[in-house]
Amino acid sequence: MNRAFLRRDLLCRLLAYSAFGMVSAPAAWAQQVDLLSHARATGVIRIANTQASPPWSMLDDRNQPAGYDVEVAKEVAKRIGVAKVEFVADLFKNFVEGLKAGKYELVMNDLTPTAEREKQVDFSTAYGLEDFRIFVRAVNNDIKDRPDLKGKRIGVTAGTSNESWSRANLLNSEIVTYDNGGLVFNDLAIGRIDALISSHFGGMRYATVNKLPIKEVGPVLTYQLSAAAMQKNQPALREAVSKAVKDMRADGTIDRLSNRWLGVSYQMSTEITQAERQ
């Protein structure tokens, strides 16, 4: 075996080891670094959202992120001392693992702090609240309430609290998951599923903007808070984001943004406070 071959073999091994090391490097780095200090130093914080779940996050006519969560995220970044937000598009089902892998510092997209999620990531003080309802085709008069969902195909967005709630409470229904929140509405409109579970604001906004022949039926199924999610063991980031949100709730910013993006006179801060006391 000649020396040239040995050198090539050694080089290949070193490159392979380096590549394997780089796969886990972002996650290991993020777990060791104070992410708030790093974001302030670089002037940039990465915040994930779907950009496909209006009115919470979507793309506007200039193909830029827009929506309630987007505006709240920009204001939070400003108040914690970070000049720029880099929005990262991802799926609901990827958010928790994306945080743990260091793909972004925060998730702000109508994400509910469930007990299962809190085992893996931390959450800030809540900045949103919504009620979840049943949506059916406009011509459907058979489904009026939760009992009518028995034996039906129910659409939900994968990885959302809508999915976990449906699987826990609609045991006699077939739960159909979608990676893209918009596709579930389209499939309902053309009859591929019998109903879907969505937030009142999100469902009505999507149906109205896209002129879909669907309607909301029945009483509220459940109320769910939304908060900013982040990696565990980042106390400075969690404290700073929570303080920013609390100040925004107190000074009227949350109500102003919710009125703008939800299209109603809605006292979001008051509703959140009442839900937190329950």
Side-chain angles (χ1 to χ4, degrees):
M1 187 176 296
N2 60 43
R3 291 184 179 180
F5 178 85
L6 287 173
R7 283 196 298 269
R8 287 197 301 270
D9 180 64
L10 177 59
L11 179 59
C12 289
R13 289 174 183 269
L14 289 173
L15 289 173
Y17 294 149
S18 176
F20 280 120
M22 290 174 66
V23 170
S24 59
W29 173 85
Q31 291 169 357
Q32 297 171 4
V33 170
D34 180 336
L35 295 181
L36 177 61
S37 295
H38 182 265
R40 286 172 172 170
T42 61
V44 179
I45 188 166
R46 298 170 300 171
I47 302 180
N49 48 36
T50 66
Q51 300 177 18
S53 50
W56 315 111
S57 76
M58 54 195 159
L59 295 177
D60 63 17
D61 54 7
R62 297 173 299 159
N63 211 37
Q64 296 299 310
Y68 175 71
D69 289 80
V70 171
E71 293 301 319
V72 172
K74 290 178 180 178
E75 183 66 24
V76 165
K78 185 189 306 180
R79 295 189 185 213
I80 67 174
V82 182
K84 179 183 178 182
V85 177
E86 178 183 319
F87 288 106
V88 181
D90 210 342
L91 302 175
F92 257 104
K93 67 179 184 179
N94 295 339
F95 283 156
V96 170
E97 292 304 319
L99 284 170
K100 292 163 66 177
K103 291 176 61 178
Y104 26 77
E105 285 72 63
L106 295 174
V107 170
M108 295 184 69
N109 195 120
D110 190 29
L111 195 65
T112 302
T114 63
E116 185 59 34
R117 287 173 179 155
E118 288 181 324
K119 294 176 183 177
Q120 304 180 72
V121 297
D122 283 336
F123 286 89
S124 71
T125 295
Y127 65 81
L129 175 75
E130 48 182 330
D131 51 334
F132 287 81
R133 307 286 185 94
I134 301 168
F135 286 81
V136 298
R137 295 184 71 197
V139 297
N140 187 324
N141 294 315
D142 297 325
I143 298 177
K144 298 182 176 65
D145 203 344
R146 178 173 161 180
D148 301 324
L149 298 178
K150 182 178 180 180
K152 306 297 185 182
R153 286 169 53 84
I154 312 302
V156 294
T157 305
T160 63
S161 50
N162 299 353
E163 179 188 3
S164 57
W165 183 90
S166 297
R167 292 194 184 282
N169 294 277
L170 304 178
L171 301 179
N172 296 313
S173 302
E174 179 186 353
I175 307 302
V176 183
T177 59
Y178 292 79
D179 286 344
N180 185 307
L183 293 180
V184 66
F185 285 94
N186 294 337
D187 269 12
L188 175 63
I190 62 177
R192 286 180 176 167
I193 53 176
D194 299 304
L196 67 84
I197 307 300
S198 177
S199 73
H200 164 73
F201 295 121
M204 294 304 297
R205 172 64 179 265
Y206 198 89
T208 301
V209 169
N210 293 281
K211 298 180 173 59
L212 297 178
I214 64 178
K215 63 183 179 182
E216 183 182 76
V217 297
V220 174
L221 298 174
T222 180
Y223 291 94
Q224 296 177 4
L225 293 164
S226 58
M230 65 208 74
Q231 272 198 8
K232 283 193 170 294
N233 303 315
Q234 291 291 332
L237 181 62
R238 183 179 185 180
E239 182 178 344
V241 174
S242 290
K243 182 181 185 306
V245 170
K246 289 176 183 177
D247 290 346
M248 291 165 67
R249 284 167 54 175
D251 66 21
T253 302
I254 287 296
D255 288 336
R256 175 175 58 80
L257 293 177
S258 65
N259 287 343
R260 175 186 176 188
W261 289 101
L262 304 182
V264 293
S265 180
Y266 185 68
Q267 296 297 312
M268 178 70 84
S269 57
T270 301
E271 297 292 331
I272 293 172
T273 300
Q274 292 177 347
E276 288 174 333
R277 290 173 178 169
Q278 293 179 357

